[in-house]
Amino acid sequence: MQIYIYINSDSIFGSSVFVLSKKKKKRKSSSVFAMALMGMETASSSFPSSSTSSSTERWKYDVFLTFRGEDTRNNFMDHLFIALKERGINTFRDDEKLEKGKSLSQELLKAIEESRFAIIILSKDYTSSTWCLDELANIITCKKDMEMTVLPVFYYVDQSDVQKQLGTFAQAFVKYEEKEKKTRVDKWRDALRQVGNLAGWHLKDTSVDASLEEMGRNIVCQECLDDPGKRSRLWDYEDIDKVLRKNKGTEALKAMDIVSTYNEQQDACWNPEAFLKMDNLKFLRIYGILHVPTLLPNDLRILDWILYPSKSLQSSFQLDELVQLCLQQSKIEQLWIGIKNFDKLTFVDLTDFSDLIITPNFTGVPNLEKLVLVRCTNLRKFHPSIRILKKLIHLNLQDCERLIRLPRKFGVESPVTLELSNCSNARKIQNLW
C-alpha cells in the first residue's frame, strides 16, 4: 500500500515533523497527537491499587470518602477523589443524592466496613444531612471495633465547632432534638465529638496539593507503621534501604520510588534477590542507584530508571507485563542483546543515551507505539527490525546529530509523527526517502 509523506519544516535549524499516513486509512488529526498523553495515561492506568494482598484480604477499599454533597461535590471533594485515584488509592465515594431521605443501604454499610481508612470532609452544612451523620456514626463504630483509621478534613470549619457542636453544627441539632429519637441524636453527637478530637487537615481553600500529598502518604504509612516492607508503596529512602538490604519485601508492595543522594548511591549494598518477594510490584522508579538487582518482578508494568549503570539490561530480567520503559541518561551501549520478548511494551524512552550507536532489535516488541531517542548523540542507524513496528505512531529523534540514515519505509498501520528538531543531517534524511 502506498505511503504519502507530508513534510512541515520551519527551517533546517528548526523543527522538522513528518506525518506518514496510508492512502486507504484516513484518520482524524487528533489520532496523530494522541500519543502526547500516552506516557501519563500509561502511568495512571498501570499504577497499582493496594486493595488486595494476603495480609489485608478483608479490606476491599483503601479509603471510604464521606462528604456533604451540596457543600463540596463540585470542588474540593472532586479534586480529592481524583487525586486519590491518580495515586492508585482505591477509593469508595458515596453519593448521598442517590438515596436522599433513606436510611443507609446494606451495600453502603458493607463498603464502610471493608475500608481501611475513612476520610471525613467536615463542611459547614455536614450535620444538616442525617445521611452523613449516620455514615459518621458507623465509621466511628468501625474505628472502635475494626481498627479503621479515621482522617478528618476540617473544610472551612473550626475544629472546636465540631467537637462542641457550635455554629452551624448546633443549628442542625436544634431540629433533630425535636423530631429524632434521643438515642439516635446522642449517637450522632458522640461521633462528632470523637472525630473532632482527632488530628486532621484544616483547609481554607481548594488549592489543597501539598495537603493531598501529605494525606496520601499518611494513609500508606498507617498500613504498617513498624514494617515498611508490608506497605503498598515506598518512597522514603531509609525505609527502602532497610527493606532491600534485609530482603524484607513482601507481596503487599505495589510501587517503589527510589531517589538517593550521591553518598547514598555509593553506600547502597542491597540483597541481590531483594525484589524476588515483591510479586505484586507494578511501578518502579529509580534515580541514580549504582546497584543493579539480579531479577525484577515479572509483573512490573512501569520501569523508570534514570542513570541506569550497566551497559545493557540484565539478561535475567523477564518483564512479561512491562508497558513503559524509561532509562534516561544511561550508559547503555546495547539496550538488550538479541531478541527480548516484551509483547505489552508500548512506550520506550532512551533520552540522553550518549553511547548508543544502533537501536535495539525490536522483533520481540510488536506493540511499540512511541519511541523517544532525544539527544542520542552517537546514534548512527536503526536496526532493520524498526520496519516491522506496525503500531508505531511517534518517533522522536531530536538532537540525534550523527544520525545519517532512516528506514526507507515503515510497516505502520497508523499515521506516524517523526520529530527531527536540530538534526544537522535533516536534509540528507529527507533525500533518502
Side-chain angles (χ1 to χ4, degrees):
M1 186 172 292
Q2 187 173 3
I3 296 180
Y4 287 84
I5 305 172
Y6 302 92
I7 302 176
N8 176 13
S9 181
D10 296 336
S11 70
I12 190 62
F13 301 105
S15 62
S16 299
V17 178
F18 299 81
V19 180
L20 284 64
S21 61
K22 292 188 176 181
K23 184 177 181 181
K24 292 187 179 180
K25 277 197 173 182
K26 294 184 178 179
R27 296 187 178 219
K28 295 181 179 179
S29 58
S30 59
S31 65
V32 178
F33 303 102
M35 285 307 296
L37 298 176
M38 195 280 295
M40 285 193 301
E41 184 179 48
T42 299
S44 61
S45 63
S46 300
F47 201 83
S49 167
S50 65
S51 59
T52 58
S53 75
S54 62
S55 61
T56 59
E57 288 181 355
R58 66 169 167 162
W59 308 118
K60 183 176 180 180
Y61 304 102
D62 291 318
V63 171
F64 182 92
L65 189 58
T66 177
F67 60 98
R68 177 73 169 108
E70 294 179 7
D71 285 350
T72 63
R73 180 179 287 112
N74 295 318
N75 40 66
F76 171 76
M77 191 283 304
D78 285 338
H79 292 300
L80 175 59
F81 180 71
I82 292 170
L84 291 171
K85 296 292 283 187
E86 287 181 344
R87 286 161 174 78
I89 297 174
N90 190 18
T91 304
F92 183 97
R93 175 175 63 173
D94 170 38
D95 194 339
E96 70 175 275
K97 68 179 180 179
L98 297 179
E99 296 288 345
K100 192 169 184 179
K102 297 182 180 180
S103 59
L104 301 188
S105 67
Q106 289 301 313
E107 180 181 1
L108 189 59
L109 291 173
K110 187 177 181 182
I112 294 174
E113 293 172 356
E114 293 179 337
S115 299
R116 181 194 294 268
F117 299 89
I119 296 179
I120 304 169
I121 304 176
L122 294 157
S123 55
K124 63 184 179 65
D125 288 330
Y126 186 86
T127 53
S128 66
S129 167
T130 58
W131 180 276
C132 289
L133 290 170
D134 282 338
E135 281 186 347
L136 177 62
N138 279 276
I139 287 170
I140 294 301
T141 298
C142 289
K143 177 181 181 295
K144 178 182 177 182
D145 298 339
M146 305 181 68
E147 300 180 349
M148 172 187 276
T149 299
V150 178
L151 305 170
V153 177
F154 301 99
Y155 182 73
Y156 283 91
V157 298
D158 292 330
Q159 186 169 356
S160 61
D161 286 354
V162 178
Q163 293 171 329
K164 302 174 183 178
Q165 286 106 66
L166 300 176
T168 56
F169 291 84
Q171 296 170 15
F173 276 94
V174 171
K175 178 180 64 176
Y176 297 146
E177 297 284 3
E178 295 177 354
K179 66 176 187 177
E180 297 288 347
K181 292 182 180 179
K182 185 176 185 302
T183 54
R184 192 182 188 197
V185 175
D186 288 346
K187 190 174 184 179
W188 292 341
R189 286 190 180 277
D190 181 64
L192 280 170
R193 277 192 291 269
Q194 290 195 48
V195 77
N197 285 324
L198 297 175
W201 287 265
H202 298 259
L203 302 181
K204 298 296 184 183
D205 57 61
T206 60
S207 60
V208 293
D209 285 345
S211 294
L212 295 178
E213 188 72 23
E214 180 188 357
M215 185 180 296
R217 294 192 172 202
N218 186 282
I219 288 172
V220 171
C221 288
Q222 292 292 332
E223 291 174 350
C224 189
L225 292 173
D226 299 326
D227 190 347
K230 294 181 179 179
R231 299 175 194 164
S232 61
R233 298 158 186 80
L234 290 178
W235 62 88
D236 180 80
Y237 185 80
E238 290 186 8
D239 289 338
I240 292 170
D241 188 55
K242 177 181 177 181
V243 168
L244 296 181
R245 280 179 186 269
K246 299 181 179 181
N247 197 11
K248 292 288 187 178
T250 69
E251 62 181 8
L253 268 169
K254 308 296 190 306
M256 192 179 298
D257 193 356
I258 309 175
V259 179
S260 60
T261 65
Y262 176 79
N263 289 335
E264 289 169 340
Q265 294 171 22
Q266 304 302 313
D267 294 339
C269 183
W270 297 336
N271 188 310
E273 298 182 350
F275 287 92
L276 288 182
K277 296 180 181 178
M278 304 178 195
D279 294 336
N280 291 314
L281 190 70
K282 301 294 191 300
F283 177 95
L284 179 60
R285 182 163 56 196
I286 302 175
Y287 181 84
I289 294 298
L290 301 178
H291 174 85
V292 179
T294 305
L295 294 170
L296 289 175
N298 288 353
D299 282 347
L300 196 66
R301 306 280 181 84
I302 296 176
L303 177 59
D304 188 344
W305 193 325
I306 296 176
L307 298 173
Y308 182 85
S310 298
K311 297 298 184 181
S312 64
L313 279 180
Q314 291 278 58
S315 59
S316 56
F317 290 175
Q318 298 297 324
L319 305 176
D320 298 333
E321 301 297 321
L322 195 66
V323 174
Q324 178 172 308
L325 177 65
C326 300
L327 299 170
Q328 300 179 5
Q329 302 177 46
S330 298
K331 294 298 182 181
I332 287 179
E333 297 176 357
Q334 191 172 0
L335 186 56
W336 52 69
I337 299 172
I339 297 175
K340 289 287 283 187
N341 292 317
F342 293 124
D343 289 341
K344 297 184 179 180
L345 187 61
T346 62
F347 177 77
V348 174
D349 186 350
L350 307 181
T351 295
D352 291 315
F353 265 44
S354 58
D355 295 330
L356 187 71
I357 296 175
I358 184 172
T359 59
N361 187 334
F362 290 113
T363 302
V365 195
N367 293 305
L368 187 64
E369 297 176 358
K370 185 173 183 179
L371 177 60
V372 179
L373 298 166
V374 173
R375 290 186 298 279
C376 291
T377 52
N378 283 304
L379 180 67
R380 288 171 170 80
K381 59 181 179 179
F382 284 85
H383 189 278
S385 61
I386 191 77
R387 298 173 183 171
I388 69 170
L389 297 178
K390 295 183 178 181
K391 296 187 178 181
L392 186 70
I393 61 175
H394 191 105
L395 177 59
N396 191 336
L397 299 170
Q398 179 180 339
D399 296 315
C400 291
E401 300 171 352
R402 299 192 178 184
L403 183 65
I404 60 173
R405 183 181 300 274
L406 285 178
R408 290 186 177 274
K409 59 183 178 179
F410 293 86
V412 294
E413 298 176 345
S414 305
V416 176
T417 298
L418 177 60
E419 297 188 21
L420 293 170
S421 305
N422 301 317
C423 283
S424 58
N425 292 313
R427 288 187 186 276
K428 294 181 182 179
I429 291 172
Q430 292 179 24
N431 291 336
L432 286 173
W433 244 300

